[in-house]
Amino acid sequence: GDGAAAAGSAPARLAAHGRILCLTGLPDDGDHYVALTNAVFSAQKAGVPVDALMLDPQTSSSYLKAAAKMTGGVYAQTPGAGAGLLQAMLSLVGADGPTRAQLAQPPPPAYDFRPVDFVTKERVEIGYVCSVCLSIFGTHVAKCPTCATEYGSKVESGNTAAAVGR
């Protein structure tokens, strides 16, 4: 029972597990896509779940749905005007992984993983991806509107827009 030994072992017993919580009531903004994508890839690599809670029941976020799905987090919406916020915070995002598995979860949202054109904001079946910033376009572009990378008429190594499909 040495007090110093017990205090020294406390960090090992109380190892923290990171999580990210996104609270929003706004629709997706294409200007944040690259930063959010980088954050999701980093969270996924580190094994950190991203939880997303939409505060506006009329608004949905395909970016945050994908972030939650890809990282093992939870995506949920409050019933409206702040109603149910405390309940959602305590039961959905306040619980750790093992406890969360024992709680009744909301049904998973419908996911549409088709890419969204950064210019038209419409979903596309086949798109072109900027190799520099990963922006997606429904048609081939000579210059990326997001990062201003110019594409020559020839395919240049490391500086091309690649076609992607389903």
Side-chain angles (χ1 to χ4, degrees):
D2 184 358
S9 63
R13 286 183 290 140
L14 301 175
H17 300 283
R19 291 195 337 211
I20 297 172
L21 172 61
C22 299
L23 294 171
T24 186
L26 302 174
D28 289 334
D29 182 355
D31 292 341
H32 300 135
Y33 175 79
V34 174
L36 181 62
T37 300
N38 288 334
V40 169
F41 288 154
S42 296
Q44 190 177 35
K45 184 175 180 179
V48 175
V50 175
D51 295 328
L53 185 57
M54 291 299 295
L55 302 176
D56 180 2
Q58 306 302 316
T59 304
S60 181
S61 171
S62 60
Y63 295 168
L64 293 178
K65 284 180 186 178
K69 174 86 170 166
M70 291 171 56
T71 62
V74 173
Y75 177 90
Q77 290 186 261
T78 59
L85 179 60
L86 180 60
Q87 179 182 0
M89 293 290 291
L90 291 174
S91 63
L92 298 178
V93 296
D96 63 1
T99 304
R100 190 182 287 185
Q102 302 298 319
L103 297 173
Q105 298 289 323
Y111 294 99
D112 186 355
F113 287 114
R114 290 180 299 154
V116 175
D117 184 302
F118 274 50
V119 175
T120 65
K121 308 295 185 209
E122 295 179 10
R123 297 210 178 268
V124 294
E125 293 293 325
I126 297 176
Y128 294 86
V129 179
C130 174
S131 61
V132 176
C133 70
L134 302 178
S135 294
I136 301 167
F137 307 101
T139 59
H140 186 270
V141 294
K143 181 177 180 180
C144 177
T146 305
C147 69
T149 298
E150 293 188 30
Y151 306 108
S153 58
K154 295 181 182 178
V155 176
E156 301 169 16
S157 176
N159 199 20
T160 61
V164 294
R166 24 178 186 167

